[in-house]
């Protein structure tokens, strides 16, 4: 059996009869830049997230960077964020001129550990950027309480969390502003790059509209020095078709995660926390000596991934932060032991059972894998 990490072809077959005419309609109208589908998607996604404003952009990275810039955060300022995230999170901060300040992750949820945030706050701190990693919302009550205490902004990195809820509220409506990614493999994915900012602040939304469109409201009337970060109309048309399916697709991901949890529960691995607010963009387990298992899965036709194998503070790109191995022990222990298993809405019980069976077979021949690093076992 061949099991891909994500099956975009299967999803396309499901919605082909809706996607094809939606894309064709854009070509027939010729409104390729900021066309009608962009306006409609922004309205629909804002309504879905329960916010007043959605401004679409060309990527999740752009969404986060424009948020930082719109709040006038730049050189000399600091933004606190997670050490265990994709580099786009920190690039959004540093490329706006500010400095990312890293905090270790919670050992259960993988998200930014609120108990470590206040120690990272300095007079230069302007905001906290929690990451809803793998589709699990961060502890936003605790984070927002700290932000209010210290007069800080809260920017959600919701790139992996489209459709997730935190205590009944959607991701994207849990802070001052949020950035989403619509990269093809995301739970709500375009057929190319794409992203969006959500906020209830009309002034910020308008600033981001200017920044994404070369600083102009009217053609050639440039009010600020902006960027070309517009979402293509054809991508907006695709996203409009997909959005009504998102909740069902997320429910299917949860069902697959529950099946994984049931079939893997007795094995010497650490499983992700399972809660109703988790939409499982990724299903990440932790296992000692993971490389051998990944090779075995590949031999069985099963794709797997690493999200993320090198923590931000150990990347050459962020050597200037001056960190060393040992500074964020939970993040580092997890980076050495995480494996992302296939998960997508079309992953049925038979396929999940095949993956789980392959893991069981591998561990039966490798009993040494029962000894996880102490940092993980403590988690």
């Amino acid at each position: 059996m061949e099991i891909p990490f994500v099956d975009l072809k299967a999803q396309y077959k499901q919605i082909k009869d809706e996607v094809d005419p939606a894309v064709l309609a854009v070509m027939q109208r010729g409104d390729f830049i900021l066309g009608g589908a962009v306006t409609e998607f922004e309205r629909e996604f804002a309504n879905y997230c329960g916010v007043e404003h959605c401004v679409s952009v060309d990527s999740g990275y752009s969404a986060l960077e424009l948020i930082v810039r719109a709040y006038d955060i730049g050189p000399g300022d600091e933004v606190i964020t997670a050490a265990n995230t994709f580099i786009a999170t920190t690039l959004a901060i540093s490329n706006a001129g500010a400095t990312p300040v890293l905090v270790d992750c919670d050992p259960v949820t993988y998200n930014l550990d609120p108990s470590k945030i206040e120690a990272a706050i300095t007079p230069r701190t302007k905001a906290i950027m929690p990451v809803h990693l793998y589709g699990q919302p961060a502890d936003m009550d605790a984070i927002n309480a700290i932000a209010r205490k210290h007069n800080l902004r809260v920017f959600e990195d919701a790139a992996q969390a489209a459709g997730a809820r935190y205590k009944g509220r959607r991701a994207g409506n849990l802070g001052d502003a949020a950035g989403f990614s619509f990269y093809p493999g995301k739970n709500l994915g375009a057929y190319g790059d794409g992203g969006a900012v959500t906020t209830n602040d009309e002034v910020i939304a308008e600033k981001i509209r200017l920044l994404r469109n070369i600083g102009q409201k009217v053609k050639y009337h440039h009010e600020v020095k902006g960027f070309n970060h517009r979402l293509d109309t054809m991508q907006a048309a695709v996203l409009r078709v997909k959005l009504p399916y998102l909740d069902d697709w997320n429910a299917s991901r949860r069902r697959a995660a529950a099946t994984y949890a049931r079939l893997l529960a007795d094995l010497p691995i650490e499983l992700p926390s399972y809660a109703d607010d988790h939409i499982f963009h990724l299903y990440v387990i932790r296992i000692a000596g993971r490389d051998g298992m990944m090779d075995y899965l590949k031999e069985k036709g099963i794709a797997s991934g690493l999200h993320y194998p090198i923590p931000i503070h150990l990347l050459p790109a962020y050597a200037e932060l001056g960190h060393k191995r040992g500074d964020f022990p939970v993040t580092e222990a997890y980076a050495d032991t995480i494996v992302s298993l296939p998960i997508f809405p079309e992953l049925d019980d038979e396929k999940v059972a095949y993956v789980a069976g392959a893991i069981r077979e591998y561990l039966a021949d490798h009993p040494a894998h029962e000894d996880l690093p102490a940092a993980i076992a403590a988690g």
Side-chain angles (χ1 to χ4, degrees):
M1 187 180 295
E2 295 289 328
I3 300 181
F5 190 69
V6 61
D7 194 343
L8 298 179
K9 293 179 181 179
Q11 186 186 81
Y12 171 65
K13 289 178 182 178
Q14 178 186 351
I15 58 175
K16 181 181 186 301
D17 291 344
E18 297 174 70
V19 167
D20 288 1
V23 172
L24 181 60
V26 175
M27 290 188 281
Q28 291 172 333
R29 292 193 306 270
D31 60 343
F32 299 111
I33 305 298
L34 295 182
V38 172
T39 302
E40 289 304 305
F41 172 71
E42 290 176 341
R43 178 183 60 80
E44 291 161 358
F45 194 65
N47 182 65
Y48 177 82
C49 293
V51 297
E52 293 295 324
H53 306 282
C54 168
V55 184
S56 61
V57 293
D58 58 353
S59 71
Y61 158 72
S62 295
L64 294 172
E65 183 186 354
L66 293 185
I67 289 170
V68 176
R69 290 180 178 276
Y71 280 92
D72 298 319
I73 296 173
D77 298 329
E78 296 175 349
V79 178
I80 293 171
T81 193
N84 63 322
T85 185
F86 182 54
I87 195 172
T89 308
T90 49
L91 286 177
I93 298 167
S94 54
N95 286 351
T99 300
V101 174
L102 305 177
V103 169
D104 211 347
C105 66
D106 177 270
V108 175
T109 67
Y110 299 64
N111 284 321
L112 187 66
D113 188 340
S115 70
K116 296 182 173 67
I117 290 175
E118 286 195 278
I121 295 173
T122 76
R124 296 179 295 278
T125 306
K126 301 298 182 183
I128 306 170
M129 187 182 288
V131 182
H132 303 320
L133 197 65
Y134 306 152
Q136 173 99 305
D139 186 353
M140 295 304 295
D141 282 353
I143 292 169
N144 282 320
I146 294 169
R148 286 191 298 269
K149 178 181 176 181
H150 295 275
N151 194 31
L152 304 175
R153 297 292 185 179
V154 176
F155 308 144
E156 300 170 69
D157 181 340
Q160 301 181 7
R165 293 183 184 271
Y166 176 82
K167 298 185 177 180
R169 296 170 62 191
R170 296 274 192 195
N173 189 22
L174 303 173
D176 291 287
F180 288 87
S181 169
F182 302 130
Y183 184 79
K186 293 294 195 290
N187 295 36
L188 179 63
Y191 290 159
D193 273 320
V197 174
T198 58
T199 183
N200 288 308
D201 190 322
E202 184 175 359
V203 173
I204 291 300
E206 188 58 30
K207 288 180 74 171
I208 292 173
R209 288 190 185 98
L210 278 173
L211 288 170
R212 72 156 179 197
N213 190 29
I214 325 176
Q216 63 183 8
K217 291 181 184 177
V218 178
K219 194 171 184 179
Y220 303 130
H221 292 259
H222 303 278
E223 300 178 26
V224 297
K225 297 180 180 69
F227 306 87
N228 186 359
H229 286 326
R230 302 170 298 209
L231 179 70
D232 290 339
T233 305
M234 282 196 285
Q235 301 300 345
V238 171
L239 292 166
R240 289 193 69 203
V241 171
K242 288 189 171 189
L243 183 57
Y245 291 94
L246 180 57
D247 286 344
D248 286 342
W249 287 341
N250 284 340
S252 295
R253 288 173 177 267
R254 289 193 190 96
R255 285 193 292 271
T259 303
Y260 270 133
R262 176 172 54 83
L263 296 178
L264 299 174
D266 63 323
L267 298 179
I269 57 179
E270 292 291 327
L271 303 179
S273 61
Y274 183 78
D276 289 341
D277 56 6
H278 200 322
I279 57 165
F280 288 100
H281 169 60
L282 297 170
Y283 189 88
V284 181
I285 65 171
R286 304 196 296 269
I287 180 171
R290 51 100 188 279
D291 293 343
M293 192 194 75
M294 293 180 72
D295 290 341
Y296 185 78
L297 293 180
K298 185 176 181 179
E299 292 173 7
K300 291 287 188 177
I302 301 166
S304 59
L306 299 177
H307 301 85
Y308 300 95
I310 307 175
I312 296 295
H313 67 289
L314 299 180
L315 290 171
Y318 278 102
E320 77 271 12
L321 295 181
H323 289 297
K324 63 184 182 306
R325 181 169 287 277
D327 286 352
F328 304 104
V330 181
T331 291
E332 292 169 20
Y334 286 11
D336 292 338
T337 56
I338 51 176
V339 180
S340 300
L341 301 181
I343 192 162
F344 46 90
E346 299 78 19
L347 188 71
D348 58 28
D349 285 351
E350 181 184 8
K351 294 183 176 69
V352 173
Y354 182 73
V355 176
I359 295 173
R360 186 175 296 276
E361 291 170 6
Y362 178 74
L363 291 175
D365 293 333
H366 298 79
H369 287 249
E370 294 180 11
D371 295 324
L372 290 170
I376 292 180

